[in-house]
Amino acid sequence: MKQFSPNAILALKEALTNIYWKKQDLRSFVYHSIENKLLISTIDWDNNKKAESAGILIDRMVARPDLYEKDLFRLFDVVMHFNDFTHLKQWDDPELKIQKAKDSVEALRKHAAGYFRLKEEKDQAEERKAVFSNMQKEKESFSNMISVLKDDFSRLVMEQNAQKRGFAFEKFLNSLFTLFDLEPKESFRIVGEQIDGAFTFDGNDFLLEAKWQEKPVDLGDLYKLGGKIEGRLKLTLSLVISINGFTADYNDSKSPLMKAMLLMDGADLMAVLENRIDLKDLFFRKRRHASETGDIFLRFNQLM
């Protein structure tokens, strides 16, 4: 195997870290770029930082050229020819993120160009095309599944029986969270308390409360819901979904119980079902906003 310089290896790690903002997008990119896909499953993409996962990936490839020589060359080749950064426009400070990604790819080209022929060969171009084609097919499949869930939700809206709708809504949310790999657990009862569900996001366990009532959920209701996480592990949080929103006093209480929850309304849910935002991205933005401002209800329309 040709030995890449330490600078070239570092440049590849840096470029992989910067070309995608979401860890799962980077994972998908790598998955469709290499042949030895089993390697992907040996890395904890969810809990590691992006740079950490990229570093582990490349270090393992470099350490075992007998297994990963071809895949390492493919990654170098595909990343060196990466030139579409429009997917970064949806995040905060998009110009900064795009420029950082472009700079890191350009740095990789300078450090690794000597190991590749500058003239593009047809098979190499076809391989790179296949990477992005497969990623696009994956996105289309996901969009189809979201569309099915949106239709299911539309049928729920038409349901007149509140109790029947409530049970169906819990199952709907379980299906939605499963689609986004949030390891959901269906409703359960502990010590006389009814919990609508639970899921895991970014290292935190969340208890789920789903409310579909005519009136917005008020502060008193939220305080009662917050009491359900009292006595749980410190990292346990709560997500309250109220289709018809919350009263204006939702953030008035200074109780620690209220600061361990995030709020989501029907408009937020529709934004996810219409594929205008990824559910995990929405949770991430809500949690970061709550951490920075103390406001537990960041609405989707505030992100636009």
Side-chain angles (χ1 to χ4, degrees):
M1 177 178 179
K2 293 181 179 179
Q3 292 297 313
F4 289 97
S5 70
N7 285 338
I9 296 298
L10 288 173
L12 178 58
K13 293 177 183 178
E14 183 74 12
L16 283 171
T17 301
N18 291 328
I19 58 177
Y20 285 103
W21 177 244
K22 285 177 56 183
K23 293 184 285 187
Q24 290 307 312
D25 284 343
L26 174 60
R27 183 188 185 282
S28 178
F29 172 76
V30 173
Y31 179 86
H32 290 296
S33 297
I34 68 176
E35 292 183 354
N36 290 282
K37 303 188 187 302
L38 183 61
L39 177 59
I40 305 294
S41 63
T42 66
I43 299 173
D44 189 355
W45 297 86
D46 289 328
N47 295 315
N48 290 345
K49 295 183 183 300
K50 254 190 321 178
E52 186 178 5
S53 292
I56 292 171
L57 173 74
I58 301 306
D59 287 343
R60 289 179 181 174
M61 286 183 164
V62 171
R64 293 297 306 271
D66 54 319
L67 295 177
Y68 305 122
E69 178 181 33
K70 184 177 179 181
D71 282 334
L72 183 60
F73 270 83
R74 284 182 59 138
L75 267 184
F76 265 105
D77 181 61
V78 174
V79 178
M80 287 171 64
H81 289 86
F82 198 101
N83 57 17
D84 183 1
F85 304 93
T86 55
H87 56 280
L88 295 172
K89 290 183 177 180
Q90 63 181 300
W91 303 108
D92 294 338
D93 302 318
E95 294 83 5
L96 181 63
K97 287 180 172 61
I98 290 173
Q99 191 58 53
K100 189 173 182 179
K102 288 181 177 180
D103 290 345
S104 61
V105 170
E106 184 58 33
L108 176 63
R109 290 170 182 158
K110 291 180 179 178
H111 286 296
Y115 297 94
F116 296 89
R117 288 188 293 271
L118 296 180
K119 183 176 181 287
E120 288 192 10
E121 296 182 0
K122 184 177 180 180
D123 58 343
Q124 291 174 320
E126 288 300 317
E127 283 186 358
R128 289 192 293 272
K129 183 178 179 181
V131 169
F132 296 104
S133 175
N134 289 334
M135 289 183 69
Q136 184 60 36
K137 289 178 181 177
E138 191 175 82
K139 289 180 180 178
E140 290 173 357
S141 175
F142 182 86
S143 295
N144 290 336
M145 288 185 283
I146 278 284
S147 180
V148 170
L149 284 175
K150 182 183 176 184
D151 291 341
D152 291 343
F153 182 74
S154 297
R155 285 189 286 272
L156 282 179
V157 173
M158 303 301 293
E159 176 60 57
Q160 298 299 312
N161 186 309
Q163 185 177 34
K164 184 177 179 181
R165 184 181 61 201
F167 286 128
F169 186 42
E170 290 178 14
K171 292 186 177 296
F172 164 82
L173 290 175
N174 186 271
S175 297
L176 178 66
F177 289 3
T178 297
L179 179 60
F180 284 92
D181 299 321
L182 291 170
E183 304 174 35
K185 181 178 180 179
E186 294 188 1
S187 61
F188 55 94
R189 185 178 297 275
I190 48 175
V191 197
E193 290 182 348
Q194 178 69 31
I195 306 295
D196 290 341
F199 63 94
T200 301
F201 169 64
D202 208 16
N204 288 112
D205 292 322
F206 280 78
L207 298 181
L208 172 66
E209 289 291 339
K211 295 293 182 182
W212 196 322
Q213 58 190 42
E214 291 185 13
K215 295 181 179 180
V217 169
D218 62 28
L219 182 58
D221 292 331
L222 287 178
Y223 192 77
K224 292 175 184 177
L225 297 174
K228 291 188 177 184
I229 65 173
E230 195 171 19
R232 306 292 193 275
L233 290 176
K234 188 176 181 180
L235 290 180
T236 302
L237 302 174
S238 178
L239 174 71
V240 182
I241 301 179
S242 172
I243 292 299
N244 290 311
F246 306 87
T247 56
D249 61 353
Y250 73 88
N251 216 34
D252 287 351
S253 174
K254 302 303 179 185
S255 168
L257 295 178
M258 302 296 294
K259 300 306 179 183
M261 65 173 60
L262 298 175
L263 307 184
M264 181 174 174
D265 65 6
D268 291 339
L269 182 58
M270 282 305 301
V272 173
L273 295 176
E274 291 173 352
N275 218 9
R276 288 182 284 154
I277 189 168
D278 183 288
L279 181 62
K280 286 185 175 181
D281 296 341
L282 182 61
F283 287 167
F284 175 81
R285 300 287 289 273
K286 282 178 177 287
R287 188 180 61 183
R288 185 173 66 178
H289 178 77
S291 297
E292 292 175 349
T293 68
D295 181 1
I296 61 175
F297 186 24
L298 175 68
R299 299 164 179 82
F300 171 74
N301 60 19
Q302 293 175 270
L303 301 176
M304 306 310 290

